Amino acid sequence: MPSDKKVSGLGSSASSQALQVSEDENVKSCWVCFATEADDRLAAWVQPCKCIGTTKWVHQSCLQRWVDEKQKGNITRKVLCPQCKAEYIVVFPSMGAFVALLDALEEITHKISPFIAGGVLLGSIYWIAITYGAVTVMQVVGHREGLEMMESADPLVLLVLLPTIPVTLISAKMYNWEDSVLIFLRKYCAKIPALAYILPFGNVEGDRGAIVSGQPTNSQNNTSHLSPTRIFCSALLLPTISTIIGKMFFRSVQNNLHRTILGGLTYITIKGALKIYHKQMLYIRHSSRKILDYTESNLKLYRNNVAETVSSNESEQVI
């Protein structure tokens, strides 16, 4: 019958196609180097994952190199198939108990090394703080008096109190008392005519008149940022500067501690006053700025000001 012949023909073609697909799947082709089994019949092949078809085969040597690239020296890192995401089964030969012991020691050393380094770093900072505290004591109260004071004190007390000296200086430096004083002056002393000769308060109208009312604005917050390096240096240099100023201006004071305290108060007061004046002038300048019309005269004036600023900065750098 023709229909029976047609059905048998379809069945034979389907079986031949299935046989061809099966033969294609059995052809080994490396997905790393794209070489086939015919190119190198002595190469070792492996099926390392759940992939099917031609991508399931790969050279053992090619896969070893690919795994090395993914592990980047860490042989314990897991490596997955880029297609099916199956984890490769990587095994190592047994090298004996002694090698296993060395591996365990290496792993323990790798884990505890960060803690040891952190402890050494903290210990170094602690002893540096003790040394700085001892030097500061001898500098403030006098070399001989400082040595006698520390020799008569309990060593445990020294180990606790001396490191707090740099910590206290840095913590105190982080408080910006000049801003509080400036806000107070703007709020309560702006209407006193006598103070206008010492600290100008400006005459800003409209929304930019917050300089008179003493309310903080974004420009004030931007100029009062804290610099960690500046705070660190200023705090640790304070005892030295106080000692120098005390010896320069308060030679009549016999007590070293009192002389250093007076020098420190003088330095802090003068520096704070200059800082308050500078901040106020910068605030007035910022609050009094204007945006001019875009005309030829204003553009020429603006370019001349920019050129003068650049030339002044270059001359300062040369000096």
Side-chain angles (χ1 to χ4, degrees):
M1 299 289 292
S3 60
D4 295 338
K5 291 181 180 180
K6 186 177 181 179
V7 171
S8 62
L10 291 174
S12 61
S13 63
S15 61
S16 62
Q17 291 177 359
L19 182 60
Q20 182 67 28
V21 170
S22 177
E23 290 178 355
D24 292 340
E25 291 182 355
N26 291 329
V27 174
K28 296 179 180 180
S29 176
C30 179
W31 57 265
V32 176
C33 66
F34 302 106
T36 62
E37 188 177 13
D39 297 328
D40 187 0
R41 297 188 178 277
L42 300 179
W45 295 82
V46 63
Q47 295 178 253
C49 59
K50 298 184 293 184
C51 290
I52 58 176
T54 57
T55 59
K56 68 180 179 179
W57 293 104
V58 63
H59 285 136
Q60 180 75 243
S61 57
C62 293
L63 186 60
Q64 292 283 3
R65 290 194 299 269
W66 191 81
V67 169
D68 289 338
E69 292 178 0
K70 293 299 179 181
Q71 287 183 336
K72 297 179 179 179
N74 184 9
I75 62 175
T76 61
R77 178 179 296 176
K78 297 180 180 179
V79 182
L80 307 180
C81 173
Q83 297 295 330
C84 66
K85 305 303 180 183
E87 180 183 351
Y88 290 147
I89 304 174
V90 182
V91 295
F92 297 90
S94 177
M95 305 301 293
F98 184 68
V99 176
L101 177 61
L102 294 178
D103 290 338
L105 293 175
E106 182 70 20
E107 184 177 359
I108 293 173
T109 305
H110 179 73
K111 290 182 178 180
I112 66 175
S113 292
F115 298 99
I116 296 176
V120 171
L121 179 61
L122 291 177
S124 302
I125 295 174
Y126 174 75
W127 286 109
I128 290 173
I130 289 180
T131 304
Y132 176 84
V135 172
T136 302
V137 170
M138 292 186 292
Q139 190 177 40
V140 170
V141 303
H143 186 270
R144 185 181 61 185
E145 293 82 355
L147 285 177
E148 293 176 354
M149 181 187 302
M150 288 186 289
E151 288 175 357
S152 60
D154 187 359
L156 182 60
V157 175
L158 294 177
L159 292 176
V160 175
L161 294 182
L162 288 179
T164 60
I165 294 177
V167 175
T168 303
L169 291 173
I170 294 174
S171 301
K173 186 62 181 177
M174 293 180 67
Y175 175 68
N176 234 345
W177 63 272
E178 297 93 346
D179 290 341
S180 301
V181 174
L182 185 57
I183 292 175
F184 176 81
L185 293 175
R186 289 173 181 171
K187 188 173 183 181
Y188 297 104
C189 303
K191 297 181 180 180
I192 300 176
L195 291 177
Y197 295 98
I198 302 174
L199 184 67
F201 292 96
N203 186 16
V204 184
E205 298 178 357
D207 296 335
R208 305 184 68 82
I211 187 172
V212 179
S213 61
Q215 297 178 1
T217 60
N218 292 334
S219 61
Q220 180 181 348
N221 293 335
N222 292 335
T223 56
S224 62
H225 66 279
L226 299 178
S227 173
T229 54
R230 183 174 181 177
I231 291 174
F232 184 81
C233 295
S234 300
L236 297 185
L237 289 176
L238 179 60
T240 303
I241 298 174
S242 302
T243 303
I244 295 174
I245 294 178
K247 291 180 179 180
M248 290 176 59
F249 298 102
F250 302 100
R251 295 180 180 178
S252 59
V253 180
Q254 300 298 324
N255 189 287
N256 291 325
L257 178 60
H258 295 168
R259 186 169 58 241
T260 304
I261 292 175
L262 290 175
L265 292 176
T266 303
Y267 169 72
I268 293 173
T269 303
I270 295 175
K271 181 184 176 183
L274 293 176
K275 194 173 182 180
I276 289 173
Y277 179 80
H278 187 222
K279 283 188 175 183
Q280 182 69 6
M281 298 306 294
L282 291 178
Y283 191 65
I284 291 176
R285 183 178 67 182
H286 181 79
S287 301
S288 303
R289 69 182 180 186
K290 293 181 180 179
I291 300 176
L292 303 179
D293 296 329
Y294 193 83
T295 60
E296 291 295 333
S297 60
N298 291 335
L299 186 60
K300 184 178 180 180
L301 178 63
Y302 173 74
R303 288 175 177 174
N304 292 334
N305 292 334
V306 171
E308 291 177 359
T309 303
V310 171
S311 61
S312 63
N313 292 335
E314 289 179 353
S315 62
E316 289 178 357
Q317 291 178 358
V318 172
I319 294 174

